Amino acid sequence: MTKVMWSSYTARDFTRLQYALLKKETSSKEAIIIVHGITAEFHHHEAFAQECLRDADIYFPVLRGYDQSQKRGDIDYIGQYDDDLFDFIHFIEKKGYEKVTMAGHSMGCANLLRLIQTNKSAASEYLFIAPFFHPTLPVYHEDATEQSTDRTDVDYTVFDKKVMLLMTLYKMNIHRFNNRTVAEIPDEFNKTEKLTLSFRLLASRFLEKIPPELLHDIKGRVSIYVGSEDEVLLHDTFQRYVNEHWNVEIHIIQGTDHNHILHHPQLHKEWAEK
């Protein structure tokens, strides 16, 4: 078992941002960068790394605003995550890997869609696990934006009506309310507290609209996995939606949910055999 190694990289605004090296292989030619969801769920990503059958080093960048920086739960401008992730990819590429694979979990998959729209060659391969691509897609449980620990491992609340109001103002070019709180999640760096997330942070995780052709010419480099017991996604509905819009195959992993799919042996077996 690899000991987790914490370090930092410098983003283009000279901010030092945290990342963890979750798994280190002696002769690895591939780097896997995994982008977390609305909650970081670090222990599940550690387990992902330990279960992974790829001969790859696995990196976990902590998204700006989630770490122990002074500006917690907020970022500087809408779209800053795109810049941060491209900077991190460049930072990893300079280490000399022959292949960089981008993986996303839940809302982290929406971040990957933003990267793909900007530059489809940002990575050699894309892995989407339990994707939360956009809150308006008709593929989620009705209470998908309000999960609680009394019935699931997923724990967060998004204030949907507030998000809709602020998005309307944003489209009207009114930006002075972009720092308003629109979500509440567990604080992984202070277990006794909650972390509040701003509108501009959350808006920076999604495309405003998902183009129907977005994955057409890279679908051979895309893998999508969903658990049959996912508490957020309606897996059958999601499977039909993706097949109809993108003609991309969805792999259903039986007997697992939104977070535990990250380290389900069947996911890693199937992905390693691709």
Side-chain angles (χ1 to χ4, degrees):
M1 181 179 290
T2 305
K3 181 181 178 181
V4 173
M5 296 174 59
W6 284 96
S7 190
S8 63
Y9 72 102
T10 305
R12 65 189 64 189
D13 66 346
F14 303 106
T15 299
R16 299 292 294 178
L17 298 174
Q18 286 183 297
Y19 73 90
L21 176 56
L22 300 180
K23 185 177 184 180
K24 177 71 177 173
E25 298 288 349
T26 18
S27 57
S28 177
K29 296 179 181 179
E30 178 184 8
I32 298 171
I33 299 170
I34 187 160
V35 183
H36 64 75
I38 189 171
T39 52
E41 306 296 343
F42 183 71
H43 62 293
H44 284 295
H45 289 87
E46 280 188 284
F48 168 89
Q50 296 307 320
E51 197 69 39
C52 184
L53 299 176
R54 293 281 191 101
D55 181 17
D57 297 343
I58 301 178
Y59 294 88
F60 178 85
V62 181
L63 296 182
R64 186 187 296 252
Y66 285 82
D67 61 5
Q68 293 174 296
S69 60
Q70 291 183 347
K71 196 171 188 177
R72 304 206 66 212
D74 195 13
I75 57 178
D76 297 321
Y77 55 88
I78 291 178
Q80 191 167 29
Y81 282 145
D82 305 340
D83 295 338
D84 287 347
L85 287 171
F86 278 125
D87 291 343
F88 189 66
I89 292 169
H90 181 60
F91 169 74
I92 296 300
E93 285 176 335
K94 287 194 296 184
K95 295 180 181 291
Y97 293 102
E98 293 180 6
K99 177 180 181 180
V100 174
T101 296
M102 292 298 296
H105 173 245
S106 192
M107 199 176 284
C109 298
N111 284 100
L112 297 196
L113 292 187
R114 290 181 63 100
L115 298 186
I116 290 169
Q117 185 179 56
T118 303
N119 180 5
K120 292 184 179 180
S121 300
S124 304
E125 185 179 349
Y126 297 94
L127 170 65
F128 298 100
I129 304 172
F132 193 86
F133 283 141
H134 198 282
T136 63
L137 294 184
V139 297
Y140 305 109
H141 290 283
E142 288 185 8
D143 59 350
T145 56
E146 187 171 349
Q147 302 289 326
S148 57
T149 51
D150 58 356
R151 71 177 181 87
T152 177
D153 187 33
V154 183
D155 184 15
Y156 60 86
T157 301
V158 178
F159 309 123
D160 296 319
K161 292 180 180 177
K162 197 172 180 182
V163 172
M164 291 170 62
L165 172 61
L166 291 172
M167 181 55 74
T168 302
L169 294 175
Y170 175 72
K171 289 178 179 179
M172 294 169 62
N173 210 30
I174 299 172
H175 304 308
R176 64 179 178 272
F177 303 112
N178 286 355
N179 64 338
R180 297 300 173 88
T181 295
V182 294
E184 188 177 83
I185 66 171
D187 188 341
E188 294 203 29
F189 290 96
N190 186 345
K191 301 294 186 183
T192 62
E193 300 292 335
K194 293 283 187 178
L195 181 63
T196 58
L197 306 179
S198 72
F199 169 75
R200 65 183 157 218
L201 182 151
L202 209 60
S204 294
R205 306 209 64 179
F206 298 104
L207 286 171
E208 192 172 326
K209 291 182 180 178
I210 302 176
E213 72 284 354
L214 185 60
L215 301 182
H216 280 182
D217 54 351
I218 63 165
K219 61 184 182 182
R221 296 191 276 130
V222 170
S223 303
I224 305 178
Y225 293 89
V226 178
S228 64
E229 298 178 12
D230 196 300
E231 314 93 327
V232 178
L233 274 163
L234 298 163
H235 67 274
D236 290 335
T237 308
F238 179 73
Q239 188 172 37
R240 286 194 298 271
Y241 175 88
V242 172
N243 285 339
E244 288 170 8
H245 286 75
W246 291 333
N247 193 27
V248 175
E249 185 181 2
I250 303 293
H251 304 269
I252 305 297
I253 303 299
Q254 296 298 322
T256 193
D257 59 25
H258 194 72
N259 283 339
H260 289 85
I261 188 175
L262 276 164
H263 40 91
H264 195 284
Q266 188 62 31
L267 179 150
H268 289 279
K269 180 177 181 294
E270 290 187 19
W271 189 43
E273 291 173 353
K274 282 199 69 177

